[in-house]
Amino acid sequence: MSSDASSWTARARGMFAALGRRDPLGGQGLVIALAALCGLLAGYGSVLFTQIIHTVTDWTYGWANDLAATQPAWKIAVMLSPALGLVVVSYITRRFAPEAQGHGVPEVITAVARHDGIIRPQVAIVKILASGLCIGTGGSIGREGPIVQIGATLGSMFGQRFRLSARNVKVLLAAGGAAGISATFHAPLAGAIFASEIILGSFAVESLTPIVIASVIASVVQEQVGEHGKEPAFQDLTYNFEDAWLQLPLFLLLGLIAGIVAVGFIRVLYGTEDLTQRYLPSWWQRALALGLVVGLFGIIYPASPPHMSVSRQMEVDKGRQVQPPLLGVGYQVVDHALHLQAQPAGTNQQFNTQYTAQKHVKVDPSGMWRELWWLLPLVFLKPICTSLTLAGGGSGGVFAPSLFIGATLGACVGIVVHAIVPEHTASPGMYAIVGMGAVVAGTTHGVLSAILIVYEMTDQYEIILPIMAAAGLSSVVSRVIEPESIYYKKLSRRGERISRGHDLHHLDHIMVRDVMIRQFPVLQHTDTVLDIVRVARENPEIESLPVKDAEGKLIGIIRAEDLHRMLDSDISPLLVNAEDIALRAPLSVSPTENLIEALSDFGSRDVETLPVEVGKGANRRLVGLLLRSDVMARYRQEMLSGH
């Protein structure tokens, strides 16, 4: 069987290689073909992933929740479900693929920036099972991070299998991530922008076509066999942006609040991780304890909102109970907030079973205050439950929780504003839509992605202007308070600095190890000025010379201006040695950093040479030198070659 598989792979590789040789697009045809295949598989993978979540839910806390309506003792089973799920998921990920733990997108970004787009194939299998179990058993997380990582793994696998260049492997990885977003939210535009803005950090023209193709095909798959069909994720929304000059300041206020709330979410997420690892060092204790807390929140908080839509009430009448709002993805709460509409006092919502679009929740002014007291605690409890789930070893995304927080926050602001100036403001549901975009922009720092994904999920182009305004302001506020996004914060906490630049994207796939010089002169800390001059004359191409101590550790570098300053002084050269004039604590770079990051280091210390070290602390070891001139030469080479 294995020989047959190898034979098939060889034939397929040969066929695609022949396509590449005859490709009039200079090799892009092969990448586009593989991106299309990646979009197809990611689309069906998203459908499978969603089905796994629904099936697990129906057999775990969903089933127990239905029974608890008549037998309250089953609430204990609902509470235990997230804990047992976290224990199983933590074991699976720790045993088979540790990178599948957590929210997924930071690992994809790291693969692009550090590992030439390489992701182990087993990550896709482990991720789809672990995240399906985690969300299905009540983990308070989202499904977009897992499907992005699953799609990215497929793209990386194709690139590795057909031995493509590092640049093309990264493009296929991003195409897979775009396909995941597109299929999950039925949002092809947002998928393409998310992959370029967040994953690649580049809108380079040569990478856009494969990403767009993958995103489109995944969306077509979603239309044919997905849960949304040809409809948006949230349907039957009809809002208009009227009295713009009166309403726009209110939406800007929402953007300001959303930026602050987004920062709070980021800090709660990682603060919880630090706190729980300190006091619960054992992984299984952490999973069990935090899962129980999430389950406890799930059964304590009132499941039903004060008012329900006609369609939801009909489901309850058929025996399907309202799911706990803090367990699982929580899209029922989001849908409720988006359809919340104000109506004059003294009128009641009519139950018309002949009308199919019955999602609107029309509430009079007195009922709106009850809605506020139900929604407001969710703004604060959802970040806590998501943080507990991930800190307990859960596997799932943070995008959907951001949508949840934004929708509930926006609805709360809308209720308060409507109570103050009812004649000059929109319904709370419109504020919920805008709040979703604002909080997502604040957490991810991806303004374009946030705007487009909310637009495509709601099909509400009529209110694109307030979404843009609030998302833009939220992102600015968030960046001022917390410069790193929810994804990059995780990387920086691991000691990984990742720099991206749209105009320097030609360097993001070239590592320091590819350009550094490995044979270089080294000064000892006891060398005299005469020794330094001799070594400098023998190596005129090296502007700065490294200096080591008696134990062989780097203590600094001597720049040309440092040596000239010494020679121009009145001090005798015989009285000065290398450690006296060395620039102490110089910045050093790692061989695995890309050249964009190295350029930043050159500018911060105004040096022409950077030491290249491996290891940490006492184990640090000098392995090379990186010259600014070599970096710029490589940049010019890449620009001229068009790669």
Side-chain angles (χ1 to χ4, degrees):
M1 184 69 181
S2 60
S3 61
D4 292 340
S6 301
S7 175
W8 181 89
T9 301
R11 289 197 299 271
R13 188 184 295 126
M15 179 183 68
F16 279 108
L19 171 64
R21 287 192 296 270
R22 296 191 298 269
D23 184 8
L25 300 177
Q28 277 290 94
L30 173 58
V31 177
I32 292 173
L34 291 174
L37 180 60
C38 188
L40 184 70
L41 294 180
Y44 281 106
S46 175
V47 173
L48 173 63
F49 181 51
T50 302
Q51 189 58 47
I52 290 173
I53 293 173
H54 291 330
T55 301
V56 174
T57 299
D58 289 341
W59 283 94
T60 55
Y61 82 94
W63 175 63
N65 186 64
D66 288 343
L67 293 176
T70 55
Q71 304 174 61
W74 280 98
K75 285 186 176 291
I76 297 175
V78 176
M79 183 181 72
L80 292 174
S81 180
L84 297 177
L86 279 183
V87 171
V88 174
V89 167
S90 295
Y91 173 77
I92 291 174
T93 54
R94 290 172 65 87
R95 175 68 177 81
F96 299 104
E99 59 267 50
Q101 198 172 78
H103 43 108
V105 176
E107 284 68 30
V108 174
I109 295 172
T110 299
V112 170
R114 289 278 187 269
H115 307 304
D116 292 335
I118 304 299
I119 302 177
R120 296 190 300 158
Q122 62 261 42
V123 171
I125 298 173
V126 174
K127 192 72 176 180
I128 199 169
L129 292 175
S131 297
L133 285 172
C134 190
I135 300 170
T137 54
S140 191
I141 43 180
R143 63 191 185 192
E144 87 299 326
I147 197 59
V148 166
Q149 194 171 14
I150 293 165
T153 303
L154 290 173
S156 175
M157 185 176 66
F158 289 147
Q160 295 173 63
R161 178 66 65 180
F162 292 97
R163 299 174 184 172
L164 301 183
S165 66
R167 173 170 292 281
N168 286 332
V169 173
K170 293 178 183 181
V171 170
L172 285 176
L173 179 152
I181 288 288
S182 176
T184 301
F185 297 120
H186 194 198
L189 274 174
I193 296 300
F194 181 89
S196 299
E197 186 178 29
I198 304 296
I199 296 176
L200 283 184
S202 167
F203 287 94
V205 176
E206 60 267 25
S207 64
L208 275 177
T209 299
I211 291 172
V212 168
I213 293 295
S215 188
V216 167
I217 290 180
S219 187
V220 170
V221 172
Q222 154 63 36
E223 289 186 357
Q224 298 300 316
V225 297
E227 62 178 334
H228 304 307
K230 295 184 178 181
E231 298 296 327
F234 299 106
Q235 304 169 20
D236 304 326
L237 297 170
T238 53
Y239 295 115
N240 291 298
F241 183 45
E242 300 173 348
D243 296 329
W245 292 114
L246 295 174
Q247 291 194 40
L248 189 59
L250 300 174
F251 287 113
L252 289 174
L253 174 63
L254 174 57
L256 176 66
I257 298 171
I260 298 171
V261 170
V263 172
F265 180 27
I266 296 172
R267 294 188 174 176
V268 167
L269 181 69
Y270 295 112
T272 302
E273 183 179 296
D274 291 339
L275 194 64
T276 55
Q277 287 182 351
R278 181 185 308 166
Y279 293 105
L280 294 169
S282 174
W283 69 267
W284 68 267
Q285 291 177 347
R286 198 160 52 242
L288 190 60
L290 301 187
L292 285 173
V293 175
V294 172
L296 186 62
F297 277 125
I299 64 172
I300 289 178
Y301 201 82
S304 298
H307 306 83
M308 285 193 288
S309 66
V310 175
S311 60
R312 191 73 196 96
Q313 185 62 55
M314 291 170 64
E315 291 182 20
V316 173
D317 293 342
K318 293 177 182 178
R320 184 64 176 174
Q321 297 303 308
V322 178
Q323 299 290 356
L326 291 169
L327 300 186
V329 178
Y331 279 157
Q332 285 187 354
V333 176
V334 175
D335 192 69
H336 174 81
L338 298 187
H339 289 91
L340 199 57
Q341 297 182 1
Q343 68 176 9
T347 59
N348 296 316
Q349 179 169 272
Q350 298 298 316
F351 282 28
N352 180 8
T353 56
Q354 302 297 318
Y355 181 48
T356 57
Q358 303 177 57
K359 288 180 171 286
H360 301 294
V361 183
K362 296 184 177 181
V363 184
D364 63 22
S366 62
M368 276 297 179
W369 290 110
R370 294 197 298 274
E371 289 287 343
L372 176 66
W373 302 130
W374 186 77
L375 289 167
L376 186 60
L378 294 175
V379 178
F380 303 98
L381 291 176
K382 184 64 174 182
I384 294 173
C385 288
T386 298
S387 302
L388 291 171
T389 302
L390 290 173
S395 178
V398 294
F399 204 99
S402 297
L403 292 173
F404 183 108
I405 296 165
T408 51
L409 172 68
C412 290
V413 172
I415 291 171
V416 173
V417 169
H418 198 275
I420 299 173
V421 283
E423 300 85 4
H424 302 292
T425 189
S427 286
M430 183 170 168
Y431 281 84
I433 297 175
V434 176
M436 285 200 304
V439 172
V440 169
T443 55
T444 67
H445 295 182
V447 179
L448 289 176
S449 302
I451 294 169
L452 286 175
I453 204 165
V454 170
Y455 158 59
E456 290 189 289
M457 289 181 74
T458 60
D459 195 25
Q460 284 288 283
Y461 184 77
E462 293 80 3
I463 60 172
I464 195 73
L465 294 180
I467 294 173
M468 293 172 65
L473 182 58
S474 173
S475 179
V476 170
V477 171
S478 176
R479 286 175 185 271
V480 169
I481 304 173
E482 179 57 73
E484 294 174 308
S485 73
I486 199 167
Y487 301 133
Y488 282 82
K489 185 75 172 177
K490 182 175 181 179
L491 300 178
S492 67
R493 284 162 52 84
R494 296 196 306 225
E496 299 180 22
R497 290 184 309 111
I498 294 180
S499 300
R500 323 296 278 282
H502 301 316
D503 55 345
L504 291 176
H505 69 274
H506 295 277
L507 296 181
D508 65 3
H509 70 291
I510 304 174
M511 304 300 164
V512 168
R513 62 174 178 264
D514 300 325
V515 181
M516 72 182 193
I517 58 174
R518 302 173 187 272
Q519 303 294 328
F520 53 93
V522 176
L523 296 172
Q524 300 302 317
H525 69 293
T526 56
D527 286 345
T528 66
V529 172
L530 297 179
D531 296 323
I532 299 171
V533 171
R534 175 180 54 78
V535 173
R537 286 177 176 175
E538 293 172 355
N539 301 274
E541 75 280 2
I542 300 178
E543 293 281 344
S544 303
L545 299 171
V547 181
K548 288 185 175 181
D549 62 15
E551 298 178 354
K553 306 296 183 184
L554 179 70
I555 62 173
I557 59 174
I558 295 179
R559 301 170 296 177
E561 57 265 37
D562 299 326
L563 183 57
H564 292 155
R565 191 179 304 112
M566 172 61 217
L567 294 174
D568 292 339
S569 70
D570 297 329
I571 303 174
S572 171
L574 300 177
L575 300 177
V576 179
N577 55 30
E579 68 177 339
D580 294 326
I581 59 174
L583 174 65
R584 299 285 182 147
L587 282 175
S588 64
V589 293
S590 165
T592 60
E593 291 184 21
N594 63 42
L595 294 191
I596 295 178
E597 295 162 304
L599 280 176
S600 175
D601 290 335
F602 276 120
S604 65
R605 291 302 292 268
D606 192 24
V607 294
E608 298 297 320
T609 305
L610 286 173
V612 182
E613 292 186 296
V614 295
K616 295 182 178 180
N619 297 320
R620 295 178 69 170
R621 180 167 54 90
L622 183 68
V623 295
L625 295 178
L626 183 67
L627 309 183
R628 188 199 292 259
S629 58
D630 290 346
V631 174
M632 299 311 298
R634 184 61 179 267
Y635 176 68
R636 288 191 294 270
Q637 176 185 341
E638 291 291 316
M639 289 289 289
L640 292 174
S641 66
H643 296 297

